[in-house]
Amino acid sequence: RFLSQLPIMQCSLRNASPLHLSISSPFLFSPTILNMFLVALSFAYFAKALSGSYMKSTITQLERRFDIPSYLIGVIDGSFEIGNLLVIAFVSYFGAKLHRPKIIAIGCLLMSLGTFLIALPHFIIGRYKFETSIRSSVNSSSNLSPCPVGSGVLATAPSCEHESRLSMWIYVFLGNILRGIGETPVQPLGISYIDDHALEENAAFYIGCVQTISVIGPVFGYLLGSICAKIYVDIGFVNMESISITPGDARWVGAWWLGYLIAGLITLLSAVPFWFLPKSLPLPERRLAKYSPERTSFIKDSPLLEHKYQADEPANFLEMAKDFLPTLRSLLGNPVYFLYLCITIIQFNSLIGMVTYKPKYIEQHYGQSASKANFLMGVINIPAVALGMFSGGVIMKKFKLSIMGAAKFALGTSLLGYFLSLFFFTMGCENASVAGITRSYNGLYKEDKYLLASCNTICDCPRRNWDPVCGENGLTYISPCLAGCRTSHGSGMDTVFEQCSCVAVGNHTASVGQCNNRDSCHRVFPYFLALSVITSFIISLGGTPGYMLLIRCIRPQLKSLALGFHTLTTRTLAGIPAPIYFGAIIDTTCLKWGQKKCGGRGACRIYNTTAYRIAYLGLTLGLRTASFFLCFLGLVVLRRHVQRQERNTLANGGTGAAAGELQALRKEENNSCNSDQCPQTADYDPERETRL
């Protein structure tokens, strides 16, 4: 059909005046350019979400590789938000007046560079050496005795002095900061660009699609994390037959660096399309008839055609800087926006802390490997969130929810998800049976902090090493030495320890690794996954309506600043502190810490699962409980604003300045287009007009 009309189009273009061409051509192609921008922004969202979720999936790998506690992992995770904090206010304010697509492209390049920097330590730190008492040789079937008698304290590793000067996690910290700086312009400038150029009835749907893509990204991020967690960190450089640990072991470290190289390459590719997109698109005249009363009520404060495309005006940085503080003061003076800000800060604390440590919770509480935990997050949990966010956007478009409708819908879904989440407390697991920690050496189910017993006192055992073995009695021992084993044969995973005096049943043997006898955990785990999917879907239903509430409660010219400042405050007051204090509280539930080569506390090896559950779930749901008090207050304030504006409109009899300008605008629109070119507009309803 397009090809058949080419001769007519060419004839029309030849006969058209230059002025006509300059005006009509952009209108012809602007929808296509907008779609291109939508695809490019969706891919950028996908790339940044993939790398961000991959970072979450590697927290246990980074803990073990660098021998650091959970709170320090929280510092690394929060460094992304520190990068945002450094530049987001300026990018959101000045970026809205400059070339937004190119600024987004520069951000994607910085994200890619930061992701590559995170992977750098693997190539300069050397091989990973985990703590073990097995002295195995692939070419020999006989090993040294696990029970040294009178040998004294083990000698310090020769590489101790070198290792003590290395803090390779600093590279991860700096790389994540660079990722945060690069990610800054993507959300505020991308969303405002779409909302500026899309028709009113399509804006919510477009933003819902972008947000959905941003949730699909973590699916692939967690799947990538699952694949890399199965691969040994030094794959290709060590003989895997000599490795005596499995992916389910607390000392296992996967190929965490490989995923960052892949994520960095994808992010680099996402920057390419933005270099070829225009600074702004013209505003179709037919869009003026599509403005909702909520937005057209701002006309008297800022004429639409004057402020809609400030990006096209010459930017004077000095004048913009002088106007920054008054503009910010005006934004924070909006009570609806301020309450929305406070609510999301509290809820983001809960959300970020929960998401950051959820894979670790699945590992430690239900005895799953890091690979399986990441796989379940990517395949089961994240798709439910994506479907919920997409469904929320569709519901808002189909039922044409107003500001009040969107607020009530978001609050209702959040409350329902909250009450369902309380059932997580009932899905508990017992602690793993470890002699000297959670059980006594005679097998009684009680905490016992004494690692030495009469069965192993003859051995001169290091008490801080974590090299678990499973006895025939179903009890896990911290090391073969503490199990009282005197001989062994085999190598690597095939090592069998014999004459274990603490194993008082059978042949007195023990095998490598922890015992897997937590049957009750395996039975309750599917119910945990099912409830997790349901609650994730219900809560995410209100995500898109809630986000549209943020956009619609502000004046159009403050949109980019409002989105940027919202991101700034939530990441400063939630994204940075939440992983740190969540990690610090989780650290208090540790029962056995690993040891660094040169001494000092390393990563945690085993947790008190009951205390972990109470701390993790209690903190998550406690924060959400506090946010609901502000939610109800915000709903009351929003309703009063709507009612006040309705009374003002009725008192003016519909002839006020706002209504007069609106009617004049629509009259001019009706004169400028016929019924075939412009859609029919709805009658003006003063009851829907509100100035927020």
Side-chain angles (χ1 to χ4, degrees):
R1 181 179 179 183
F2 175 77
L3 293 176
S4 65
Q5 294 179 353
L6 271 179
I8 301 176
M9 293 171 62
Q10 293 172 351
C11 180
S12 300
L13 292 174
R14 283 195 299 267
N15 296 331
S17 65
L19 178 62
H20 180 267
L21 285 176
S22 64
I23 297 177
S24 62
S25 298
F27 284 91
L28 178 63
F29 296 105
S30 61
T32 302
I33 297 177
L34 180 61
N35 291 336
M36 291 173 60
F37 181 85
L38 184 64
V39 173
L41 185 65
S42 298
F43 186 55
Y45 261 68
F46 172 82
K48 77 181 185 70
L50 183 144
S51 59
S53 60
Y54 184 76
M55 165 65 75
K56 303 287 186 186
S57 73
T58 59
I59 61 169
T60 55
Q61 314 293 316
L62 296 177
E63 278 185 27
R64 299 166 185 173
R65 185 64 184 95
F66 301 113
D67 269 326
I68 53 179
S70 295
Y71 84 89
L72 199 51
I73 281 292
V75 173
I76 294 175
D77 188 74
S79 63
F80 179 86
E81 321 301 344
I82 294 175
N84 271 265
L85 172 63
L86 295 175
V87 297
I88 191 169
F90 300 100
V91 167
S92 300
Y93 185 71
F94 295 111
K97 304 172 185 294
L98 302 174
H99 199 302
R100 285 179 282 187
K102 288 188 177 180
I103 294 177
I104 295 174
I106 295 173
C108 291
L109 291 177
L110 291 177
M111 278 196 294
S112 176
L113 181 61
T115 308
F116 289 136
L117 182 60
I118 293 175
L120 180 62
H122 171 75
F123 301 98
I124 58 179
I125 196 176
R127 303 289 172 257
Y128 172 58
K129 298 178 181 179
F130 52 88
E131 50 187 333
T132 179
S133 58
I134 301 176
R135 301 293 182 261
S136 60
S137 173
V138 177
N139 298 324
S140 175
S141 61
S142 62
N143 297 330
L144 298 175
S145 172
C147 177
V149 180
S151 60
V153 181
L154 294 178
T156 303
S159 60
C160 176
E161 183 180 354
H162 176 66
E163 290 288 341
S164 64
R165 295 198 300 264
L166 293 177
S167 296
M168 288 299 167
W169 62 268
I170 294 295
Y171 289 93
V172 183
F173 178 82
L174 295 176
N176 215 27
I177 288 181
L178 195 57
R179 281 188 57 246
I181 294 175
E183 192 266 352
T184 303
V186 177
Q187 180 179 5
L189 301 188
I191 294 296
S192 62
Y193 192 93
I194 291 177
D195 196 63
D196 282 347
H197 302 102
L199 292 176
E200 176 74 17
E201 69 273 15
N202 293 332
F205 180 74
Y206 288 160
I207 294 176
C209 290
V210 173
Q211 298 287 357
T212 301
I213 294 297
S214 71
V215 182
I216 293 177
V219 174
F220 292 89
Y222 278 108
L223 289 178
L224 181 62
S226 175
I227 295 172
C228 294
K230 288 183 179 179
I231 305 172
Y232 188 66
V233 59
D234 293 322
I235 185 71
F237 296 94
V238 296
N239 189 340
M240 293 304 297
E241 294 181 0
S242 65
I243 302 300
S244 60
I245 55 176
T246 63
D249 195 287
R251 296 162 294 171
W252 176 271
V253 176
W256 58 274
W257 52 273
L258 180 60
Y260 285 111
L261 296 181
I262 297 174
L265 180 61
I266 294 175
T267 309
L268 183 63
L269 294 176
S270 69
V272 176
F274 291 103
W275 294 105
F276 304 98
L277 291 170
K279 182 178 181 181
S280 62
L281 299 177
L283 179 66
E285 294 183 7
R286 70 188 189 93
R287 179 178 171 175
L288 298 179
K290 289 290 184 179
Y291 279 114
S292 63
E294 289 92 343
R295 299 180 71 186
T296 52
S297 63
F298 296 119
I299 293 178
K300 70 176 184 179
D301 289 333
S302 59
L304 181 63
L305 296 178
E306 177 182 349
H307 291 281
K308 191 61 184 177
Y309 290 101
Q310 295 181 9
D312 292 335
E313 302 173 0
N316 187 319
F317 282 94
L318 183 60
E319 294 179 1
M320 289 190 294
K322 290 180 179 179
D323 191 47
F324 178 73
L325 288 180
T327 304
L328 183 61
R329 190 181 304 112
S330 173
L331 178 65
L332 295 179
N334 186 330
V336 178
Y337 178 80
F338 183 76
L339 281 173
Y340 184 93
L341 203 60
C342 295
I343 292 168
T344 51
I345 287 173
I346 298 175
Q347 290 197 346
F348 273 38
N349 270 272
S350 173
L351 176 66
I352 292 172
M354 183 269 294
V355 171
T356 300
Y357 293 101
K358 189 169 186 178
K360 183 172 181 176
Y361 178 77
I362 294 175
E363 292 177 47
Q364 299 295 332
H365 197 76
Y366 296 102
Q368 307 296 323
S369 67
S371 176
K372 187 173 182 180
N374 291 329
F375 177 81
L376 293 173
M377 284 287 292
V379 173
I380 297 179
N381 206 37
I382 300 300
V385 175
L387 181 61
M389 295 188 70
F390 180 78
S391 301
V394 172
I395 290 174
M396 190 171 183
K397 176 179 173 64
K398 181 177 179 61
F399 295 99
K400 296 180 175 59
L401 296 180
S402 62
I403 294 262
M404 282 298 301
K408 292 178 180 179
F409 182 77
L411 178 58
T413 55
S414 184
L415 278 172
L416 180 57
Y418 168 79
F419 288 121
L420 288 175
S421 298
L422 295 176
F423 288 99
F424 284 125
F425 283 104
T426 65
M427 300 178 179
C429 256
E430 75 279 2
N431 287 318
S433 300
V434 182
I437 296 181
T438 60
R439 287 198 183 188
S440 61
Y441 275 86
N442 57 14
L444 296 179
Y445 192 75
K446 64 177 182 179
E447 285 195 17
D448 188 349
K449 299 300 178 63
Y450 298 99
L451 298 181
L452 296 180
S454 59
C455 60
N456 57 25
T457 52
I458 191 175
C459 302
D460 191 2
C461 302
R463 304 182 189 181
R464 295 187 178 182
N465 282 359
W466 177 260
D467 187 21
V469 294
C470 179
E472 283 186 281
N473 55 358
L475 195 61
T476 298
Y477 298 88
I478 294 178
S479 68
C481 182
L482 288 173
C485 303
R486 288 171 170 77
T487 62
S488 65
H489 69 271
S491 62
M493 291 302 302
D494 298 326
T495 302
V496 176
F497 300 94
E498 299 173 332
Q499 301 179 24
C500 302
S501 57
C502 293
V503 182
V505 297
N507 296 323
H508 306 282
T509 61
S511 57
V512 175
Q514 286 184 250
C515 298
N516 188 13
N517 52 6
R518 303 170 69 186
D519 294 334
S520 60
C521 287
H522 297 309
R523 287 194 298 267
V524 77
F525 186 56
Y527 297 101
F528 169 82
L529 290 178
L531 184 60
S532 179
V533 169
I534 294 172
T535 53
S536 299
F537 173 77
I538 292 175
I539 293 174
S540 60
L541 274 175
T544 301
Y547 200 79
M548 295 307 299
L549 172 64
L550 168 64
I551 294 177
R552 298 296 181 239
C553 74
I554 53 178
R555 289 184 292 173
Q557 66 268 30
L558 298 180
K559 191 186 313 172
S560 291
L561 178 61
L563 291 173
F565 190 77
H566 172 263
T567 306
L568 166 69
T569 52
T570 52
R571 288 181 168 173
T572 303
L573 302 178
I576 295 175
I580 298 175
Y581 67 76
F582 263 80
I585 292 175
I586 289 173
D587 283 340
T588 62
T589 67
C590 182
L591 295 176
K592 172 63 178 175
W593 291 95
Q595 185 182 20
K596 295 182 179 179
K597 290 182 179 179
C598 303
R601 197 172 71 175
C604 185
R605 300 308 188 192
I606 185 172
Y607 291 88
N608 184 330
T609 55
T610 302
Y612 195 143
R613 181 176 71 254
I614 294 174
Y616 175 74
L617 296 178
L619 190 56
T620 300
L621 297 179
L623 289 169
R624 289 176 59 189
T625 302
S627 71
F628 287 133
F629 292 101
L630 290 178
C631 283
F632 289 112
L633 177 61
L635 203 61
V636 171
V637 172
L638 181 61
R639 180 173 296 166
R640 287 180 179 177
H641 271 272
V642 174
Q643 292 174 348
R644 185 184 303 116
Q645 189 60 36
E646 287 178 351
R647 289 193 298 268
N648 293 340
T649 305
L650 293 175
N652 293 332
T655 58
E661 291 190 30
L662 177 64
Q663 291 174 357
L665 184 63
R666 285 182 173 163
K667 182 177 180 181
E668 180 182 352
E669 169 67 13
N670 291 333
N671 292 335
S672 64
C673 60
N674 54 43
S675 59
D676 294 334
Q677 296 173 332
C678 296
Q680 296 295 326
T681 61
D683 295 335
Y684 171 60
D685 184 4
E687 294 185 357
R688 290 185 58 211
E689 181 174 2
T690 175
R691 179 182 178 185
L692 300 178

